[in-house]
Amino acid sequence: MRPRLLVLSGPLKDSTIPLSEREVTIGREGSNAIPVTDPSVSRKHCLLSWHEGRFRVRDLDSRNGTLVNGSAVEEQWLQHGDEIAAGDSSFLFLLDEDISPPEGRVEFEDAHGTTETTIIHPRDAVYLQPDRLSKELPAGSSVARNLNALLKISRIVHAIRDLNELQGQLLDLIFEVVPAGRGAILLADRESHQFNSMFARMRQPGRSPLVKVSRTVARQVLEQGIAMLGSDVAGNDDLREVESLAASQVRSLLCVPLTVFQRVIGCVYLDSDTLSNRLTEEHLQLVTAIAGISAMALENARRLQWLEEENERLTVEISQERSLVGEGERMKDVYQFLKRVAPTESTVLIEGESGTGKELAARAVHRNSPRASKPFVAINCAAIPETLLESELFGHERGAFTGAASQKKGRLEMADGGVVFLDEIGELAFALQVKLLRVLQEREFERVGGTQPIKVDIRVIAATNCNLEQAVRELRFRQDLYYRLAVLKITMPTLRERRDDIPMLARHFVQKYAKRCKVKPRPISREALSALVNYDWPGNVRELENAIERALVLGSSDLILPEDLPESLLERPPAPEMIEAKYHAAVKELKKQLILDAVEQTQGSYADAARILGVHPNYLHRLIRNLELKESLNSALRDLHGRGLSGMPGGNA
């Protein structure tokens, strides 16, 4: 073992420093064992020490920190091959004799051109010109023809992104060199190993586009990863019995696997129904080579297609989930406001109680603005400690404070070209309000610890659930910043101010959470809807959303019933305009009578009564509360006691 440091960068670059079994310091001062004349290195930067047969490195409270393999450390044991960084200098810690510096490092140097240089343009390369190459091979050579086809396919397939276009081009190119009458490309699902993408093409476009493929042959190729040739289907005992081949009068066929990283993703199938165009082993070899060239292109095109479809699906899903719901007059005013302000570049202030949909309104502005394709960066000013919020907003330079081991972009910089949504802006510290004011005025800022101004092209949308005008009067919020933010201002209505939207919102959340929680969506009973409409909703739409999710998960009937809702919703009597239908009223009375009879029968034992009714005791207690039966039960039990039936285990509901 020969411990040493190989200097990779900095003033001591390319030198090798042996390490002894004693403490070795690295720093800018000349008194260090390894002095480094680098202003980014502290006077006493870090210490390497030997202990029980191992080396460890310890940071000596340096200004820019000590990094091991890119991560800032205070103290860490070293292993062979670790890279230590101190300022702009880096060292490779080596123990073994036969290890050389890591490969892959590239360094540019200025040099004068050589006297003899050969230059060609890629389009002039011989091996990228199939027609020219074929002319240089013997006339009529099948090798020339096949090589020409392979080069043409290789050049074309990697230039096409659309899956259907790629498959069509590939089969057309195969038909140029293989006398097949029909062809198909079959791609399999990775999980189920079933063919989920099938593309067919005929040599003669006028013929029937239906290509019948032997499932037996295709499955064997897919599962075993082998190429198959049936040059004489009628003379092959196995193929002759395949009904699809007999029905199509197939004379010869071949099927080769499409393999990507030792995984078969599908196959290419070709057949011929004439004896004069029999498929041979030469064709099998050629199509196998074509499959090898094109498999990755097909996989990439399929993956790209899936990603585009998934992106479109998720965009629609997110748009639906993040869309405002409601058709009442108050919401119509909101929609009209958002429609008018979205195309502009003005700053928007959205006020309203918590849970009224302020961020949804901000996203609606972004989604319908010219910046819709650019980032929407949201930051909650109340959720991040004041000491970290400045760095989150504006970013920081390396060494700006303890732990700032590298440069970091802030949220404002990340949102360049797009929208910054500042939620709970009223909680922003006074010192940061000054910096934000400069951003709104000049669209520029400096990172923490930086000196260079950074220009950004952003639109600011702010939201608050407090009264900013009152905060200005109380000197908790800067007046000039308030006027900059409130260029366009709207107050989101509370849910109690838009009760006519509650049924629509409730049904929307039923569909949303039935899908998310993997349960069957259930209609909301009239009584439950009455409770929802009659409640004041201090938590607004967010509280309604939680109530519906709870009802879907905990409910056990085919309807969402009042007893499935949180108890706080049931404390208020039903609204007078929501009169129960006769059927529901009758069901409710029947429930009451069944419970009264069961409790009387068990002489006050709720556990036994629940057993008779076939429900859980806790559920029985909920029914008693929701149906307001407590007083009736107490009265019935007093009557029982008065008649001499004193055994009342289970006492109170």
Side-chain angles (χ1 to χ4, degrees), residues 400-421:
F401 49 83
T402 302
S406 60
Q407 184 192 79
K408 176 188 174 181
K409 288 185 178 182
R411 301 284 184 93
L412 298 178
E413 198 171 348
M414 291 163 56
D416 190 27
V419 170
V420 173
F421 175 62

Side-chain angles (χ1 to χ4, degrees), residues 512-564:
K512 174 181 175 180
Y513 284 101
K515 183 177 180 181
R516 181 173 296 180
C517 301
K518 296 181 173 57
V519 297
K520 182 180 178 181
R522 290 180 285 140
I524 305 172
S525 71
R526 187 180 179 86
E527 296 87 352
L529 194 59
S530 172
L532 293 174
V533 172
N534 197 41
Y535 184 57
D536 277 341
W537 300 108
N540 293 293
V541 179
R542 189 177 294 122
E543 186 181 1
L544 172 62
E545 191 172 1
N546 294 341
I548 296 298
E549 182 180 5
R550 177 186 188 276
L552 277 173
V553 173
L554 296 181
S556 57
S557 66
D558 293 334
L559 293 174
I560 292 179
L561 302 172
E563 51 262 33
D564 299 327

Side-chain angles (χ1 to χ4, degrees), residues 397-443:
E397 298 289 350
R398 179 181 177 183
F401 49 83
T402 302
S406 60
Q407 184 192 79
K408 176 188 174 181
K409 288 185 178 182
R411 301 284 184 93
L412 298 178
E413 198 171 348
M414 291 163 56
D416 190 27
V419 170
V420 173
F421 175 62
L422 300 173
D423 199 7
E424 307 295 355
I425 190 70
E427 304 299 322
L428 193 65
F430 212 81
L432 293 182
Q433 293 179 25
V434 180
K435 285 196 167 189
L436 181 59
L437 180 63
R438 182 190 173 194
V439 173
L440 293 172
Q441 290 175 333
E442 309 294 338
R443 290 301 192 265

Side-chain angles (χ1 to χ4, degrees), residues 330-331 334 351 356 491-495 497-498 540-541:
R330 294 299 304 272
M331 289 307 297
V334 171
E351 297 180 324
T356 51
T491 300
M492 296 298 292
T494 62
L495 193 52
E497 294 174 319
R498 42 184 290 230
N540 293 293
V541 179

Side-chain angles (χ1 to χ4, degrees), residues 204-216:
Q204 299 177 3
R207 298 182 62 185
S208 170
L210 179 63
V211 176
K212 292 187 177 181
V213 177
S214 167
R215 188 186 303 275
T216 304

Side-chain angles (χ1 to χ4, degrees), residues 29 37 74 78 102 106 126 134 150 217 225 407-408 454 568 575 602:
E29 286 184 350
T37 55
E74 293 184 1
L78 293 174
V106 177
V126 173
S134 62
L150 289 173
V217 173
Q407 184 192 79
K408 176 188 174 181
I454 298 170
S568 57
T602 58

